[in-house]
Amino acid sequence: MPDKTPDTLPGAGIDVQPGPGSATRDDGDPGVATFQFQDEDHTLGNSIRHMLMRHPDVEFAAYHVLHPSEPVMNVRVEVREGTTTAEAAMLESLDNLSRVCDHMLDTFDRAVQEHSRGLPKDAGGRLARELREAQALDKAPTADQKSPLG
């Protein structure tokens, strides 16, 4: 069986880099593809599947996480014949998902600002500081990631 993970998908102009993700076409059909995402799980998988199913040309979309200990999520896309390519549908759906996330962040920021108007003067700043501190803790190295030298 030939290797089905090319460096670049023909005709799509999409570079597939080893590591963070890859894409394969099934039997050379541009309307069917499987995308592999590294270090992703159900959170992104279900969101991508949802956006793909909202795409008017997508006939089938599904994702699969092989096993919790495997850092791999596969997304399968099939589009209606004669419409677009699976890669184009995936890129458009990812762009739509990004716009939805941006909208959610903007809405959240506005809600925090509106909520902090009715609080004492420094309450909004305190909330923002607490959020930044929580984000910093999420990004801080854990005990097993820290260098033994420092």
Side-chain angles (χ1 to χ4, degrees):
M1 183 172 199
D3 179 20
K4 294 175 80 175
T5 309
D7 290 333
T8 302
L9 293 169
I14 300 171
D15 291 331
V16 178
Q17 304 298 324
S22 63
T24 59
R25 283 197 181 149
D26 295 348
D27 300 324
D29 182 357
V32 179
T34 301
F35 300 86
Q36 188 173 81
F37 295 82
Q38 298 293 318
D39 299 320
E40 296 296 341
D41 58 16
H42 297 282
T43 304
L44 184 63
N46 194 40
S47 298
I48 291 173
R49 184 204 58 80
H50 176 78
M51 296 308 285
L52 282 164
M53 290 307 298
R54 292 179 54 97
H55 191 289
D57 297 330
V58 172
E59 195 166 54
F60 175 82
Y63 79 96
H64 178 67
V65 175
L66 300 174
H67 188 273
S69 67
E70 294 289 326
V72 176
M73 176 199 52
N74 294 315
V75 179
R76 173 131 173 127
V77 181
E78 297 178 17
V79 296
R80 288 180 180 79
E81 193 171 334
T83 56
T84 188
T85 65
E87 291 88 358
M90 174 62 84
L91 289 173
E92 189 176 330
S93 296
L94 288 170
D95 185 51
N96 290 339
L97 180 59
S98 178
R99 282 190 268 140
V100 166
C101 291
D102 289 342
H103 174 74
M104 289 175 56
L105 285 172
D106 291 343
T107 302
F108 175 77
D109 288 342
R110 279 194 312 273
V112 167
Q113 289 174 358
E114 288 176 18
H115 177 72
S116 61
R117 284 187 198 135
L119 299 175
K121 256 189 175 173
D122 74 331
R126 191 171 62 237
L127 179 60
R129 276 193 309 278
E130 289 173 8
L131 286 171
R132 281 194 299 277
E133 289 170 5
Q135 289 172 341
L137 288 175
D138 286 342
K139 294 178 184 175
T142 59
D144 60 330
Q145 294 173 326
K146 289 184 182 174
S147 167
L149 301 175

